[in-house]
Amino acid sequence: MKNFFSNFLGNSPIWYKQVIILFLIFNIVSLYTLGPTITAWLFIAEFIFTLAMALKCYPLQSGGILAIEILFLGLTSPEAAYAEIGHNLEVILLLVFMVAGIFFMKPLLMYLFGKAFINIRSKITLSFLFVILAAVLSAFLDALTVTAVLIAVSVGFYGVYHKVASNPDLDLNEDNVSDNVQASNALEDFKKFLVSLVMHGVVGTALGGVCTIVGEPQNLLIGNTMGWEFVEFFTKMAPITLPVLVCGLLTTLILEITGIFGYGSTLPDEVRVILEEHAKREDENRTQKQKTDLKIQAFAGILLIIGLALHLAPVGLIGLGIIIFQTAFMGITEEHDLGKAFEEALPFTGLLVVFFVVVAMIHDQHLFSPIIDWALTQDPNSQPAIFYAANGILSMISDNVFVATVYIGEVKKAFEAGSITPEQYENLAIAINTGTNLPSVATPNGQAAFLFLLTSSLAPLIGLSYGKMVKMALPYTIVLGGVGLLCVMYFL
């Protein structure tokens, strides 16, 4: 029995193992004493807890056990969970193939971002650049793809410095970094620098993603329901999204100037010197094949942008095409060389499937229905603000795509039943879209890009925990959520 408990959840703290076991026992008692509705809310709280403890234990195991118990207790069914997975198949394919496609572009990304890191000495300028680039790319491409780029670049630069700081006699190479070296002050400062940059970047994906019909999955869902095309969707959302974008960029500047909420850390001189030396050595020793590979990766990047911007195929299939193109022309044909590219995304893909079990439970237990029914009985003039706030709060604890799906479906039913006017229908659709996109930056489980960052290989390297993400996102949550609410109240 002792060995069994020791093996359970591996090296996780004993108290954490005990808490998970307590959850599993209490959930059974709760179902038969408190009822399925309260038990379902308890499961949501417990699942969020496993996400918050991601640095103690990867949530796939602890959260997955809870998901299995949800199915075992009948709070949802395998069929309902499978249906949720089917609805989100495009996101799953994106994670499996697009992240792997970005893996093969890593040398090009390191080259381009390395020049930016070295040549742009102002942290304020660099942060502003990260937010704008992430926002623009997310508006036309995909937030998860942009986040994958940020992760790949940050892991690469962390590896370069950590390897050299650990053993200066070694060649500069970002692969196979040892994690058992005592961190210097410069390394700790470098971690803070990377944390602030990637947080600016992922917030930028939310700022840009809300603006266009292709920016986020729920945008496409709402746009198709309303019959809006790209330009019409942008103009409908602009009275809310553009003021929020401006205020979000101003928030970036204020955070970097003041250094509050964990921002403001600059690139240490010691790290800059090592990165400069690394870039110089890479340029001097770059072989003709490596130069050719960079050109192939650049061309693949152009194809990727064209394919995503024009939506020539589902994002995941475009990612698979990019993998095939790069590996074919770069001569990467061994199976074990291909397998490395998929290691980053597959654990998170498994976690996302587990999350869809929780989403299926929310749907089957009708946990959001009372809120929707109450909101539709309120004064029509106040309904957009109420829907915005309700969608924002629920998206912080659930999946924003799911929340948008439920709410736009209920609003559509009310419109078809003649309960609301066409103008009110349109205003509520705008409120639902902005509500699920903007306040949801508050927590990692609110947006897939944030959750992807939290559970990536980068997070433990730079000490990015659930709590730290919530803290650093707080000023953005207040500004984005608050400005969005004011715009909904006064412009709709």
Side-chain angles (χ1 to χ4, degrees), residues 261-467:
F261 289 95
Y263 293 96
S265 297
T266 57
L267 182 65
D269 292 336
E270 177 183 340
V271 178
R272 183 183 298 278
V273 169
I274 288 179
L275 294 181
E276 288 175 347
E277 289 297 323
H278 172 263
K280 181 180 179 181
R281 180 176 293 194
E282 286 287 298
D283 290 342
E284 292 174 350
N285 297 337
R286 188 169 288 114
T287 65
Q288 191 60 45
K289 181 184 184 309
Q290 289 173 328
K291 293 178 181 178
T292 302
D293 287 349
L294 287 178
K295 294 176 183 178
I296 293 170
Q297 292 161 26
F299 188 65
I302 295 172
L303 293 179
L304 173 64
I305 292 172
I306 293 173
L308 290 174
L310 299 180
H311 299 279
L312 300 179
V315 179
L317 296 185
I318 293 175
L320 177 58
I322 293 299
I323 292 173
I324 295 171
F325 176 83
Q326 289 183 99
T327 54
F329 286 94
M330 289 164 58
I332 302 174
T333 57
E334 298 293 331
E335 184 178 0
H336 65 273
D337 291 330
L338 293 170
K340 295 177 183 177
F342 294 90
E343 292 176 358
E344 174 73 29
L346 284 182
F348 178 69
T349 306
L351 176 60
L352 203 60
V353 171
V354 166
F355 186 55
F356 292 145
V357 176
V358 179
V359 171
M361 176 193 69
I362 293 173
H363 185 271
D364 285 354
Q365 297 303 319
H366 309 289
L367 299 185
F368 296 166
S369 296
I371 303 173
I372 299 173
D373 295 339
W374 171 80
L376 287 172
T377 62
Q378 302 305 300
D379 178 64
N381 292 326
S382 62
Q383 281 184 10
I386 292 173
F387 269 74
Y388 175 91
N391 277 263
I393 293 171
L394 293 175
S395 292
M396 293 177 190
I397 62 174
S398 179
D399 171 41
N400 55 6
V401 178
F402 168 73
V403 173
T405 302
V406 172
Y407 269 78
I408 196 65
E410 293 298 321
V411 169
K412 182 179 180 181
K413 290 179 184 177
F415 172 69
E416 292 174 344
S419 302
I420 57 177
T421 65
E423 182 183 2
Q424 187 70 2
Y425 181 35
E426 185 174 287
N427 288 340
L428 291 179
I430 296 171
I432 292 169
N433 184 73
T434 52
T436 53
N437 274 288
L438 298 175
S440 57
V441 301
T443 64
N445 38 298
Q447 297 227 4
F450 281 57
L451 187 59
F452 184 34
L453 174 61
L454 175 67
T455 57
S456 70
S457 60
L458 175 65
L461 292 178
I462 60 178
L464 186 59
S465 64
Y466 188 100

Side-chain angles (χ1 to χ4, degrees), residues 247-264:
C247 291
L249 293 175
L250 290 175
T251 303
T252 301
L253 295 179
I254 293 171
L255 290 173
E256 284 300 323
I257 292 172
T258 61
I260 56 176
F261 289 95
Y263 293 96

Side-chain angles (χ1 to χ4, degrees), residues 55 117 123 130 150 153-155 157-163 165-166 177-200 256 261-272 275 453 457-465 468-469 472:
L55 295 184
F117 269 49
K123 173 66 185 309
F130 262 61
L150 294 174
V153 170
S154 299
V155 169
F157 284 125
Y158 177 88
V160 170
Y161 176 70
H162 196 203
K163 180 94 174 190
S166 303
V177 179
S178 171
D179 290 318
N180 299 318
V181 181
Q182 175 129 19
S184 65
N185 290 334
L187 180 58
E188 291 303 312
D189 291 340
F190 187 36
K191 288 180 181 180
K192 295 176 183 177
F193 171 81
L194 290 176
V195 166
S196 61
L197 274 186
V198 294
M199 283 302 297
H200 285 314
E256 284 300 323
F261 289 95
Y263 293 96
S265 297
T266 57
L267 182 65
D269 292 336
E270 177 183 340
V271 178
R272 183 183 298 278
L275 294 181
L453 174 61
S457 60
L458 175 65
L461 292 178
I462 60 178
L464 186 59
S465 64
K468 183 178 286 188
M469 288 189 72
M472 297 185 73

